Each structure stands twice: as structure tokens, then as C-alpha cells.
């Protein structure tokens, strides 16, 4: 019986195996797209893009890391830098996945296969900080007590990527009309520690001496972007 059960699991694993392909999330925000690329190396990439953007400069990587299939058939995507988990439940083989755990706006939405080829080359995964590099960088700059001004900040790279730290200790990160992340913030030395309401992970923002904020890392940023206060 054990051999039979193992054989069935192996067959199911092969049947539902995810090959290199791309998925599009069914979103209610009409001006945005969200894509999931899954590579045969066991790695994934999730990126956001603004539909009316003339080129790829308006695309932003949201998460990348490794995926694996659980015993129950779900796919577990583990972010490579902040180590939060996004869980996908197959509802139609490997053609449609429901997001069971992840960012709040993703949950109960569906990734639908849009192409049998990833929309991004796997080499793009080499362009971002590794977790080890990120932790080493944070350690070097953690000491200090720069003054933090609560309020609304815009990315110097893209003014439609914003961070708002409210007086009541809550925050909101937006990409165009979509609220990417929300939760609570607290100041620790030179950092703001952000705790997302839906993820078991903390994000960090550096409070710089010039009054700007610097992502180290916030959701949706992998280039240590600067944010300037606008109000």
C-alpha cells in the first residue's frame, strides 16, 4: 500500500509539474498588470507594470525567489530577500492558480497562464541584492538617530511609487492606484521597520541624514531607491 501511495504521489507530482511559463493575475485595477514567471530551475519572478507605460521603465519587480510543490499540491513561493511566503493553490492543473497567502490585494485572486514562455529572462534574477548582501548592508548602516518626519513620500525614480507614514503608526505603500502593502511602522535606530498586515515579514526603510528615506528593502523595490517628502 505504501508503494502504491508513493507511486500515485509521484504521478500526480509529474502531472502537475510547472514548466517554464508566465501567468497574469486577474486584477481589479485596470491600469496595472501583475505577472508571475516560473522557471524550470525552481525560481520565480513577480513583477508589476503600468499598462500605458511606453517602455519597461515603469515595470517594477515585486518578488523573486524559489518555489516548490507541497505534499497537498499547493505551490509555495519563498521570497529570496525578505523570506515571506506566497501560496498558490492549483484550481485547473498548472493553468490557473488561486493565491491563498500573500499580499492582501493578491489573496483570492487568480494567476492565469498567459504564455508557455516566461516574459522575463532568468538572468534578470542576478540583477538584485541577495539576502546576505542586504543583511550585511543593513548591519553597516543601522546605527544612528536621524530625525524622521512623518508624512507622504515619493520615489525619486517614479513619483507614482509612494510611501505614506501616518501619525497613528500605520503606513501605506502604493504603486500607481494599487496599495502594494499596508501595516504598521516603528522606528529603530536609523530604520523604520514596516510590518505588513498580511505577510510574516518585516520591511525596512533607512532614515537618511538629509531627510530622505531609502528603501532597504520595501515591497516593490530592489534598487535601494530614495524617497523624498512632498507633504
Amino acid at each position: 500500500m505504501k508503494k502504491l501511495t508513493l507511486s500515485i504521489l509521484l504521478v500526480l507530482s509529474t502531472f502537475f509539474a510547472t514548466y517554464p511559463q508566465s501567468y497574469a493575475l486577474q486584477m481589479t485595477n485596470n491600469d496595472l498588470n501583475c505577472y508571475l514567471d516560473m522557471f524550470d530551475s525552481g525560481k520565480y519572478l513577480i513583477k508589476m507594470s503600468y499598462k500605458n507605460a511606453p517602455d519597461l521603465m515603469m515595470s517594477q519587480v515585486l518578488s523573486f525567489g524559489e518555489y516548490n510543490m507541497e505534499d497537498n499540491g499547493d505551490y509555495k513561493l519563498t521570497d529570496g530577500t525578505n523570506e515571506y511566503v506566497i501560496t498558490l493553490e492549483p484550481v485547473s492543473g498548472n493553468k490557473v492558480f488561486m493565491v491563498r497567502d500573500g499580499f492582501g490585494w493578491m489573496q483570492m485572486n487568480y494567476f492565469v497562464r498567459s504564455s508557455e514562455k516566461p516574459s522575463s529572462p532568468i538572468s534578470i534574477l542576478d540583477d538584485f541584492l541577495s539576502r546576505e548582501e542586504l543583511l550585511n548592508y543593513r548591519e553597516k548602516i543601522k546605527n544612528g538617530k536621524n530625525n524622521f518626519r512623518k508624512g507622504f513620500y515619493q520615489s525619486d525614480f517614479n513619483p507614482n511609487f509612494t510611501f505614506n507614514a501616518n501619525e497613528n503608526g500605520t503606513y501605506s505603500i502604493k504603486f500607481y492606484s494599487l496599495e502594494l502593502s499596508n501595516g504598521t511602522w516603528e522606528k529603530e535606530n536609523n530604520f523604520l521597520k514596516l510590518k505588513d498586515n498580511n505577510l510574516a515579514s518585516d520591511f525596512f526603510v533607512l532614515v537618511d541624514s538629509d531627510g530622505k528615506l531609502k528603501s532597504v528593502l520595501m515591497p516593490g523595490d530592489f534598487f535601494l531607491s530614495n524617497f523624498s517628502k512632498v507633504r
Side-chain angles (χ1 to χ4, degrees), residues 79-127:
D79 184 82
T81 52
N82 290 304
E83 295 189 331
Y84 58 81
V85 172
I86 297 172
T87 304
L88 306 181
E89 179 182 336
V91 294
S92 179
N94 64 347
K95 296 180 181 179
V96 181
F97 293 115
M98 182 185 75
V99 183
R100 207 175 60 194
D101 296 307
F103 288 95
W105 53 273
M106 281 185 176
Q107 293 181 20
M108 306 307 292
N109 285 350
Y110 295 87
F111 275 110
V112 179
R113 188 170 68 186
S114 56
S115 173
E116 294 185 358
K117 181 179 180 181
S119 60
S120 299
I122 192 171
S123 59
I124 194 174
L125 301 181
D126 298 326
D127 294 340

Side-chain angles (χ1 to χ4, degrees), residues 182-195:
N182 62 72
T184 58
W185 65 266
E186 59 179 304
K187 193 170 185 297
E188 291 186 354
N189 297 316
N190 268 349
F191 291 117
L192 299 183
K193 183 168 74 172
L194 313 180
K195 185 173 290 294

Side-chain angles (χ1 to χ4, degrees), residues 142-157:
K142 71 176 183 179
N143 294 321
K145 294 183 179 180
N146 293 332
N147 292 325
F148 168 59
R149 297 178 298 159
K150 306 177 188 70
F152 185 77
Y153 291 76
Q154 289 180 327
S155 167
D156 292 350
F157 172 71

